[in-house]
Amino acid sequence: MSAQKAPHPFSKRKSRQAAFESFTTLFFRLATYAVIIAAGYIFFNIAYNGSKAVFMTKAPFINIAFLTQKPQTLHVYEPKEIYDELASIKAEILSSKAKKAALGSGAKTEAAAYSSQIETLEERYETLDEERKEGRLMYSDSEYRALPEPPSEELYAYNNYAYSGGGIGPAIIGTCLLVAGSIAIALTLGVLCAVYLSEYSRPGRVLQLIRLSILNLSGVPSIVFGLFGFGMFVLFFGWGVSMIAGWFTLAIMALPVIITASEESMRAIPKGFREGSLALGASKWTTIRTNVLPYALPGILTSSIMGIARVAGETAPIMFTAAFALRDQLPWEGLTKPTDFFFQGVMALPYHIYVVSAKIPQNEYTRNMQYGAAFVFLFIVGFFALSSIILRVKIRKKYKW
Amino acid sequence: MAQTSTPITTSENSQPPIIEIRNFDFAYGDSQALFDINMDIKEKEVTAFIGPSGCGKSTFLRCFNRMNDLIDIARIKGGEIKISGVNIYDKDIDVIELRKHVGMVFQKSNPFPKSIYDNIAYGLRIQGVKKKSTLDDVVEECLRGAALWDEVKDRLNESALGMSGGQQQRLCIARALAVRPKILLMDEPCSALDPIATAKVEELIHELKKDYTIVIVTHNMQQAARVSDRTAFFYLGKLIEFENTDDIFMNPKNPQTEAYISGRFG
Ligand SMILES: Nc1ncnc2c1ncn2[C@@H]1O[C@H](COP(=O)(O)OP(=O)(O)OP(=O)(O)O)[C@@H](O)[C@H]1O
Ligand SMILES: [Mg+2]
């Protein structure tokens, strides 16, 4: 029954406003999807490529060596026949491509012939490459040295690649130490500072100015913090390239975020709690300790840990202050006195990723290391973020208003 | 306003006042909020402050336990407030001790987001009392004192925020009682409550009167008439009239008071 319904006062009408409304909605939706797709692609890419390095198809499914060993030189032996054939095919492809490019625009049929030739060559190359991957022998440095004798030079072509074997164990440990230490320092300093700013200082121009400069500090490029840390902690304090210098540099870099967020969380606590507490004869500090900080803690923790996690991914601030590209000993090895622990450089994931992807020649093996390290790093950051969220939910449950 | 005007007091009841206010001037920044107030508040009586919104009742009440210290621009321009004969704005006054002595219940009930037990115990814990048995006793006594014990005795460890509005307000009263103040200030304690909860709080005030001096701000004429012994009428920061409650409601001397009470303005 398609008989027209009688129009009623609320029946839908086409109007410019309605059209505009749906257009804006679509616009917002598209923007959101674009962001989600971009983020999803990045995460998928890292997870997909990284999982090749971190997981295995055989039990125990996790590549323990990758997570625990030091970075090592990778020694690769490829079957000589295949190796040589691959090289010649590659040369042929190149020459065909060059010839094709040299043809004039009139020679359509010849160009097509070259194209199909290149195609078949490339197919051949790929199948051979698969064979090469199956037939090759790979040894990390330690394994290599343990070999009774290296594979014969006649059957195999030999290459070695720096940083492409072993694992990222020391970098994982170093990053965890750096993050934990800088969280401790940044939280202490940041919360003390935020308490003073939000609870004790007199509101006014000066306070506004201080707030503004703290806020602006978070816009300073990380390399500047790195140089500051280098000048201050490494050189002036004479700490050298050390974990403690890295802690302070990272902490200072995270401070603006932490102070701002902590202050916000504290100012969001209703005035009634403070007044109620003071009216019962509590001192100011008691009031803050019992009736402001606990309620502000969820906000402080979440934002702080997020802030640190972000800062922990920066390469620039630790490049000059704390990170070693390669260190043979683990942080607790070879200490002559306990304080040495703080005054040693460590390996760190972000710096390791940087070194592996920018400082050494690229090849298929470094790629594996890069993605593996990035994946593990994402995992660590995710772990910190998750724990902060759990902590927040727990505390929030305890103090809810 | 330099002349020491004789304080407006009521005739009978010969004991010395517990709160004496003399020539009290108070300002927020440049705008003066209280003008030359003189007043005597007697021990173990209920004194009600009434007056139109913005006339300075809360401001005045918060002067008695120096809650106005929290406001940066607040300034005492002159005069003094004495509690038990001591000027509470003297330099050597410990505000913390003063606030233990002068408790306060706020207009908007503000229980802490902790358990009912912890709310009551708070005042003692911050003084360093840790003994469980002492705290238990005080919690029970105060909850009974605030006529709340029977309603909450089975859920002392639940959050105070799960209580009804009326219960929360009585909890705040109980919390204030736990530090054993001499004086209890209440700023519109019933403004957010329904008639039944209001009646309970009023009943409670009647009970508390035996042990405490109570000053209550209210917008509700009937409430002032029901609970208070004396009533003070404020207008634009000035104390207009301060009389026995019966007198002020039956035959107010000042025409402004009369107009306000009979509902012709305010
Ligand atoms: N924190 C403050 N800063 C500046 N001025 C204030 C502040 N608090 C109150 N005032 C001003 O002081 C005057 C008295 O305010 P007060 O809160 O004491 O009135 P009130 O009699 O309690 O009113 P109500 O019945 O609405 O609660 C008002 O004019 C108000 O604007
Ligand atoms: Mg008020």
Side-chain angles (χ1 to χ4, degrees):
Chain A
M1 285 217 276
S2 61
Q4 285 243 312
K5 272 197 250 161
H8 55 76
F10 308 120
S11 61
K12 272 191 183 160
R13 253 164 292 203
K14 281 208 177 83
S15 69
R16 274 179 71 175
Q17 204 186 343
F20 182 72
E21 195 78 3
S22 54
F23 173 75
T24 47
T25 317
L26 184 75
F27 202 69
F28 296 142
R29 178 177 296 179
L30 284 181
T32 314
Y33 286 171
V35 171
I36 290 174
I37 289 170
Y41 173 74
I42 293 170
F43 282 118
F44 174 77
N45 190 19
I46 292 178
Y48 177 74
N49 288 305
S51 56
K52 285 188 209 156
V54 178
F55 299 113
M56 300 189 299
T57 45
K58 300 187 291 273
F61 302 111
I62 293 175
N63 191 343
I64 309 248
F66 179 71
L67 296 182
T68 53
Q69 283 185 356
K70 294 168 197 133
Q72 297 174 22
T73 302
L74 189 68
H75 302 263
V76 183
Y77 286 91
E78 286 152 328
K80 196 147 197 159
E81 272 171 49
I82 305 178
Y83 187 79
D84 290 340
E85 193 177 348
L86 278 173
S88 69
I89 293 177
K90 195 159 208 175
E92 239 177 287
I93 293 178
L94 281 180
S95 74
S96 304
K97 276 190 178 158
K99 280 180 202 154
K100 186 186 162 194
L103 287 174
S105 57
K108 284 247 170 69
T109 47
E110 278 146 33
Y114 274 126
S115 293
S116 68
Q117 191 192 352
I118 291 171
E119 222 167 86
T120 46
L121 279 173
E122 273 173 350
E123 266 167 35
R124 172 90 185 116
Y125 187 91
E126 261 159 47
T127 45
L128 263 183
D129 204 42
E130 284 302 314
E131 271 176 47
R132 177 186 65 93
K133 278 182 186 162
E134 272 160 35
R136 74 186 164 187
L137 301 171
M138 294 192 286
Y139 304 101
S140 68
D141 225 11
S142 50
E143 289 165 342
Y144 184 68
R145 266 184 254 126
L147 287 178
E149 57 179 311
S152 84
E153 295 269 338
E154 269 142 49
L155 294 178
Y156 289 102
Y158 169 73
N159 276 304
N160 64 29
Y161 305 97
Y163 285 93
S164 302
I168 53 169
I172 296 177
I173 291 166
T175 287
C176 288
L177 284 175
L178 278 177
V179 171
S182 50
I183 281 186
I185 293 172
L187 259 187
T188 321
L189 266 178
V191 170
L192 289 180
C193 190
V195 165
Y196 182 76
L197 287 180
S198 96
E199 307 292 323
Y200 288 95
S201 61
R202 279 179 165 267
R205 272 256 174 81
V206 184
L207 189 65
Q208 289 295 5
L209 201 73
I210 292 176
R211 278 212 186 101
L212 203 69
S213 27
I214 290 178
L215 209 63
N216 278 334
L217 214 57
S218 59
V220 172
S222 55
I223 186 79
V224 177
F225 281 100
L227 291 173
F228 163 77
F230 181 68
M232 181 97 167
F233 303 121
V234 177
L235 297 182
F236 185 68
F237 287 1
W239 291 347
V241 173
S242 60
M243 194 151 74
I244 189 168
W247 282 350
F248 277 95
T249 311
L250 286 179
I252 286 180
M253 203 178 150
L255 270 181
V257 179
I258 294 184
I259 293 174
T260 313
S262 308
E263 225 198 313
E264 289 295 316
S265 327
M266 268 186 272
R267 275 192 296 175
I269 307 300
K271 227 171 97 196
F273 295 152
R274 289 167 235 247
E275 288 191 332
S277 169
L278 289 170
L280 288 171
S283 68
K284 191 154 184 171
W285 167 234
T286 307
T287 300
I288 295 169
R289 187 168 49 82
T290 57
N291 267 312
V292 179
L293 279 180
Y295 315 148
L297 210 55
I300 294 178
L301 280 183
T302 339
S303 47
S304 305
I305 295 181
M306 293 296 206
I308 288 277
R310 204 183 56 75
V311 167
E314 296 275 4
T315 312
I318 54 171
M319 194 150 63
F320 313 120
T321 56
F324 281 171
L326 188 61
R327 189 160 190 273
D328 270 336
Q329 284 170 321
L330 289 174
W332 46 83
E333 285 171 354
L335 303 179
T336 47
K337 53 183 189 297
T339 48
D340 279 358
F341 181 74
F342 303 105
F343 293 102
Q344 61 179 339
V346 289
M347 291 184 64
L349 281 173
Y351 188 59
H352 186 67
I353 296 172
Y354 166 71
V355 168
V356 174
S357 43
K359 287 284 205 166
I360 57 172
Q362 296 300 290
N363 55 59
E364 55 186 305
Y365 307 104
T366 49
R367 208 177 130 78
N368 209 18
M369 296 304 276
Q370 289 160 25
Y371 275 108
F375 184 56
V376 170
F377 183 67
L378 263 189
F379 203 80
I380 292 178
V381 169
F383 169 78
F384 274 107
L386 193 73
S387 54
S388 87
I389 290 172
I390 291 173
L391 213 63
R392 169 205 176 95
V393 170
K394 276 226 170 104
I395 304 175
R396 191 89 180 91
K397 237 185 228 147
K398 196 164 152 216
Y399 300 112
K400 207 161 51 185
W401 68 88
Chain B
M1 284 177 249
Q3 96 277 15
T4 326
S5 41
T6 49
I8 311 177
T9 44
T10 40
S11 40
E12 79 274 19
N13 190 343
S14 54
Q15 51 184 171
I18 187 164
I19 309 178
E20 300 165 71
I21 301 102
R22 294 289 176 272
N23 305 93
F24 193 71
D25 287 311
F26 182 93
Y28 289 113
D30 292 333
S31 75
Q32 191 156 352
L34 296 171
F35 298 87
D36 195 35
I37 294 185
N38 286 281
M39 196 173 185
D40 280 345
I41 292 172
K42 295 270 164 65
E43 197 168 1
K44 294 188 181 164
E45 283 191 347
V46 178
T47 305
F49 290 177
I50 60 172
S53 193
C55 69
K57 307 178 295 290
S58 300
T59 302
F60 190 39
L61 198 71
R62 290 162 60 94
C63 288
F64 296 169
N65 64 348
R66 293 189 48 176
M67 282 310 267
N68 285 327
D69 289 9
L70 308 184
I71 298 166
D72 284 314
I73 52 170
R75 250 168 346 113
I76 314 281
K77 291 186 73 183
E80 57 182 22
I81 296 178
K82 281 185 175 172
I83 290 182
S84 307
V86 181
N87 183 358
I88 59 166
Y89 284 94
D90 251 4
K91 279 207 188 65
D92 66 342
I93 292 292
D94 183 352
V95 190
I96 290 176
E97 290 304 321
L98 172 71
R99 288 181 187 149
K100 282 188 215 160
H101 192 87
V102 185
M104 186 163 213
V105 176
F106 295 83
Q107 167 171 6
K108 200 161 157 283
S109 70
N110 55 354
F112 303 133
K114 307 173 192 268
S115 72
I116 296 174
Y117 186 97
D118 288 345
N119 261 278
I120 313 273
Y122 183 80
L124 291 180
R125 283 199 177 128
I126 57 175
Q127 293 177 24
V129 180
K130 288 204 186 75
K131 224 170 116 197
K132 183 93 169 60
S133 59
T134 317
L135 291 176
D136 285 348
D137 291 346
V138 171
V139 168
E140 176 165 354
E141 184 194 320
C142 293
L143 283 173
R144 279 192 198 284
L148 202 56
W149 176 251
D150 292 326
E151 290 163 63
V152 301
K153 64 169 182 276
D154 298 323
R155 50 183 187 125
L156 291 178
N157 289 317
E158 283 173 32
S159 168
L161 299 180
M163 307 165 86
S164 77
Q167 286 173 331
Q168 287 189 13
Q169 193 58 289
R170 276 180 290 150
L171 180 75
C172 290
I173 296 174
R175 189 176 69 183
L177 297 183
V179 282
R180 302 186 196 286
K182 294 280 173 302
I183 301 166
L184 200 55
L185 309 173
M186 299 182 167
D187 194 350
E188 301 182 47
C190 301
S191 63
L193 304 186
D194 72 2
I196 294 170
T198 302
K200 282 200 174 144
V201 173
E202 285 181 11
E203 218 172 281
L204 178 60
I205 293 173
H206 262 295
E207 280 301 308
L208 294 175
K209 201 172 103 172
K210 292 185 198 126
D211 302 311
Y212 302 88
T213 307
I214 295 174
V215 184
I216 177 172
V217 172
T218 177
H219 275 169
N220 181 330
M221 296 306 128
Q222 286 82 21
Q223 183 173 64
R226 280 194 301 263
V227 301
S228 70
D229 300 302
R230 285 153 218 278
T231 299
F233 172 62
F234 290 84
Y235 185 55
L236 296 179
K238 296 194 178 77
L239 175 59
I240 305 295
E241 196 168 347
F242 181 34
E243 280 298 333
N244 282 333
T245 299
D246 292 341
D247 293 338
I248 216 167
F249 281 100
M250 296 305 179
N251 41 16
K253 295 198 185 73
N254 192 299
Q256 279 173 321
T257 317
E258 208 239 311
Y260 182 72
I261 287 168
S262 56
R264 264 181 278 136
F265 84 101

